[in-house]
Amino acid sequence: MWYYCYGDFMFHISDCKKYTRCPRLYINDRRMGKQEYHPFVRLDEAITDLAVEKLKIQDYYLGHRGDEPQKALQALRTNDWLVKARFEYKQLRVKIPFLHRNGEGWDIYFLFNGLYPHADDIQFYCDSVWVLEGNGLQVKDIRILHLNADYVRGEKLDPEALFVISDCFYNSRNNPSVSIREKIYEKMTDLTYLLNDMESCTEETLPKPIRTTKCTGRNRCRFYDMCFPNEEQIPDNSITTLIASKERYAMLKEGRKTLKEADPERIEGSRMQYAQIEADMKNGLHVDRFALKNWLKHISYPISFLDFEWERFAVPPFEGMRPYDVLPFEYALIVMQEDGTSTRKVYLSVHDDRRDMAENLVKDIPSEGSVIAYNAEGAEKMRIAEYAVLFPDLKDRLLSINKRMEDLQLPFLTGAVYDVRMRGQWSLKTIMAMMNDKSYKDLDINQGMDAVYQWRHLDYNDDTSEEDKKRIVEDLKKYCGMDSYSMVVVYNWLKSL
């Protein structure tokens, strides 16, 4: 949402972050407006209310969206605690989760919805403090309230144990590291010039888009296709598809257009990168047949192709769960016999049906033969191991499934197989599309997170009609079943190679 202040835009920290990442992102976001936001992590509880309990705050000023900044300034005079107060300085508006009077100054408590606050979001903290100091506040202690990774929920939620209050950022190993206050003041800068640049920035003043790692880094820019509309015209063997390469765009600029033209001295040297280059040198397909045959010989019949869908919760909703634990709500299973015949099963739950799901899992999966999943190490094996801890009486049968599990992603991760048509990706959907299989496109739900969003309509107490819920159930079963079907297709393709 955009606010006007004396005829000018009022900015938010998110605008500063977008402009710093890419002015085109900032301009396009302003022009296109706010998109519908579906959070990746489920956060049903009002986490601010839980944090109020943790801090044992009784009386406080509570800010609201759209408040004039003068309200917070007035509240400073009469309140010792301010919660979600809005402040503005030089057209930059911020929301401060918690302010607490400390003598002549104020302590800040930032609220972080994750487990370990790292300094990679330092701009957010710096900009917030800059605005407060611009309003004449003397900032004393700075702490971050975050979720406790060691907390295990009992029958009731315990806000006291749910949170940790830290005065340090955490390092890459999730150990307390540098002082929050010291790091903020080390990195904080005067934002006046940045805000002036943002105010004068228009689409007409921007240069042509240039591909950088910021375009496709951790989160692909939602305007990527707008900036590069001819992306699909790029050849499958384009050097821009080189996986995890920091130099790919620099090499492209030098005239190295294809994978086989990559400079060996400037690639990271992973097996996947070498597989890509080899594929380009061998008419588009690289297969390490010895490695692939060695992987396949460990597969035995009956083969169970297993796929899970789950929801992730920031605050644990059920007993025995930790912050950011997941709740599986569906699995699809295809059991294939050596003669080629197969049986299918889809299990779908709505609420906390962990016990019932675990019991059905050990009943539906044969006690012999291989179990195949895609990204098994980072998904299905983890979920089954969690069930083994939750339900000790099922432990042996659950862990037996894990012992027999093979990861269908492994031949791609290790570079044993690469086809240039994969264009640097190897998801099930990518491989199926490469085979001209359009099964996913025919589904109403065709992405993993779409499945999660739809399932929320079954779990939430919202106004979704019974007819719509029935449709969602059928769509979810079709989608999850398609993933297990795709594994069968990919497995048979690998065998043919």
Side-chain angles (χ1 to χ4, degrees):
M1 180 181 292
W2 281 86
Y3 297 87
Y4 283 88
C5 180
Y6 306 110
D8 298 320
F9 282 127
M10 182 176 287
F11 305 107
H12 293 264
I13 288 179
S14 60
D15 300 316
C16 297
K17 291 174 68 175
K18 289 166 188 169
Y19 185 84
T20 302
R21 176 178 173 180
C22 173
R24 295 192 72 88
L25 167 61
Y26 160 74
I27 284 293
N28 285 329
D29 188 77
R30 186 175 76 179
R31 183 164 58 88
M32 299 293 288
K34 202 170 183 180
Q35 66 176 151
E36 185 180 6
Y37 176 64
H38 292 294
F40 176 72
V41 177
R42 180 86 165 259
L43 188 60
D44 290 352
E45 294 80 0
I47 196 165
T48 299
D49 294 342
L50 296 173
V52 166
E53 291 188 52
K54 167 69 175 180
L55 293 170
K56 297 179 174 59
I57 306 173
Q58 297 295 325
D59 298 316
Y60 57 91
Y61 163 82
L62 178 63
H64 297 88
R65 182 190 296 269
D67 280 350
E68 290 297 325
Q70 289 78 8
K71 293 185 68 174
L73 294 176
Q74 292 171 359
L76 292 172
R77 302 170 189 166
T78 56
N79 293 269
D80 288 337
W81 279 99
L82 279 71
V83 178
K84 299 201 303 192
R86 272 69 172 176
F87 293 89
E88 182 255 312
Y89 179 62
K90 292 192 175 180
Q91 299 170 228
L92 178 60
R93 170 173 285 229
V94 300
K95 179 178 69 175
I96 307 299
F98 298 97
L99 275 176
H100 184 220
R101 189 185 304 278
N102 182 352
E104 296 299 317
W106 293 86
D107 294 338
I108 304 174
Y109 291 84
F110 288 108
L111 184 57
F112 178 64
N113 291 344
L115 300 175
Y116 301 103
H118 296 273
D120 54 1
D121 200 18
I122 193 69
Q123 183 181 350
F124 166 79
Y125 302 110
C126 290
D127 294 357
S128 297
V129 173
W130 182 78
V131 169
L132 289 179
E133 291 199 337
N135 279 277
L137 275 74
Q138 180 185 350
V139 175
K140 291 196 171 181
D141 293 334
I142 304 177
R143 303 181 180 92
I144 296 180
L145 201 69
H146 60 94
L147 297 172
N148 179 7
D150 296 324
Y151 171 65
V152 180
R153 175 171 175 151
E155 185 178 349
K156 293 184 178 180
L157 193 65
D158 180 6
E160 175 62 32
L162 175 65
F163 293 101
V164 172
I165 300 175
S166 295
D167 56 10
C168 289
F169 286 116
Y170 289 73
N171 60 22
S172 59
R173 295 183 178 180
N174 293 330
N175 293 318
S177 180
V178 297
S179 161
I180 294 171
R181 193 181 198 283
E182 290 178 9
K183 193 68 175 179
I184 287 175
Y185 279 98
E186 174 192 334
K187 295 293 184 179
M188 193 167 68
T189 59
D190 186 347
L191 300 176
T192 304
Y193 294 108
L194 176 70
L195 296 170
N196 287 340
D197 287 346
M198 289 169 61
E199 187 173 11
S200 61
C201 181
T202 65
E203 194 167 7
E204 289 73 25
T205 64
L206 292 176
K208 291 182 179 180
I210 300 174
R211 289 185 191 85
T212 70
T213 54
K214 292 182 179 180
C215 300
T216 56
R218 196 171 183 184
N219 295 305
R220 177 182 168 116
C221 176
R222 72 180 177 116
F223 300 111
Y224 184 88
D225 293 335
M226 183 184 297
C227 289
F228 309 109
N230 299 321
E231 182 81 4
E232 292 301 320
Q233 299 175 18
I234 294 174
D236 291 337
N237 66 338
S238 168
I239 197 169
T240 61
T241 66
L242 190 61
I243 296 166
S245 170
K246 295 181 179 179
E247 296 287 330
R248 55 187 171 177
Y249 294 117
M251 288 190 278
L252 177 67
K253 194 173 181 180
E254 296 166 7
R256 299 174 184 268
K257 297 181 179 180
T258 63
L259 290 165
K260 62 187 176 185
E261 294 176 283
D263 183 353
E265 300 297 322
R266 295 162 66 193
I267 64 174
E268 288 72 11
S270 70
R271 290 182 178 182
M272 288 181 284
Q273 288 179 330
Y274 282 121
Q276 289 183 279
I277 294 169
E278 284 286 310
D280 194 21
M281 291 179 174
K282 297 176 181 176
N283 298 316
L285 178 64
H286 163 74
V287 183
D288 183 338
R289 286 179 171 78
F290 178 80
L292 183 56
K293 190 172 184 178
N294 186 56
W295 180 78
L296 286 167
K297 75 179 184 181
H298 292 95
I299 311 296
S300 61
Y301 289 95
I303 306 174
S304 301
F305 295 89
L306 177 66
D307 179 68
F308 275 114
E309 300 295 334
W310 61 74
E311 173 73 290
R312 186 179 296 274
F313 293 84
V315 177
F318 304 117
E319 187 173 356
M321 293 181 67
R322 299 172 182 268
Y324 280 82
D325 266 0
V326 303
L327 180 74
F329 61 81
E330 183 176 21
Y331 69 79
L333 178 69
I334 295 179
V335 180
M336 185 168 68
Q337 305 296 333
E338 194 165 3
D339 62 5
T341 61
S342 62
T343 56
R344 302 179 180 222
K345 171 72 184 290
V346 176
Y347 177 95
L348 177 65
S349 67
V350 176
H351 301 296
D352 181 19
D353 296 316
R354 289 172 290 174
R355 174 77 196 191
D356 190 55
M357 179 179 279
E359 289 176 346
N360 275 272
L361 200 62
V362 297
K363 180 180 66 175
D364 292 338
I365 295 179
S367 59
E368 296 180 341
S370 297
V371 182
I372 290 182
Y374 206 83
N375 186 26
E377 296 296 332
E380 279 72 18
K381 287 186 80 169
M382 292 175 64
R383 303 291 81 84
I384 290 173
E386 289 164 356
Y387 275 171
V389 173
L390 276 175
F391 310 117
D393 58 314
L394 302 176
K395 178 179 177 180
D396 291 344
R397 284 183 286 174
L398 288 166
L399 293 184
S400 170
I401 294 172
N402 273 1
K403 287 178 183 177
R404 295 180 283 124
M405 192 173 291
E406 300 289 342
D407 195 338
L408 188 59
Q409 189 177 217
L410 198 62
F412 305 102
L413 279 176
T414 58
V417 177
Y418 185 78
D419 188 306
V420 294
R421 292 175 296 170
M422 291 159 61
R423 298 170 69 91
Q425 302 177 48
W426 55 91
S427 69
L428 282 172
K429 296 175 187 65
T430 298
I431 299 170
M432 293 291 279
M434 181 187 77
M435 297 177 182
N436 295 318
D437 190 305
K438 300 179 182 179
S439 303
Y440 281 102
K441 292 184 179 180
D442 295 333
L443 299 175
D444 290 329
I445 296 176
N446 52 38
Q447 296 288 339
M449 284 311 298
D450 288 342
V452 174
Y453 302 148
Q454 290 300 314
W455 181 77
R456 289 173 183 172
H457 287 295
L458 302 179
D459 186 43
Y460 282 151
N461 292 318
D462 60 13
D463 57 358
T464 305
S465 68
E466 290 303 315
E467 183 179 344
D468 284 340
K469 287 182 178 181
K470 288 180 181 178
R471 175 186 52 78
I472 290 170
V473 166
E474 291 305 312
D475 289 344
L476 285 170
K477 288 182 176 181
K478 288 177 183 177
Y479 171 75
C480 194
M482 185 57 65
D483 276 350
S484 55
Y485 160 76
S486 298
M487 283 189 276
V488 175
V489 173
V490 173
Y491 173 76
N492 286 332
W493 176 60
L494 292 177
K495 283 182 65 177
S496 73
L497 294 179

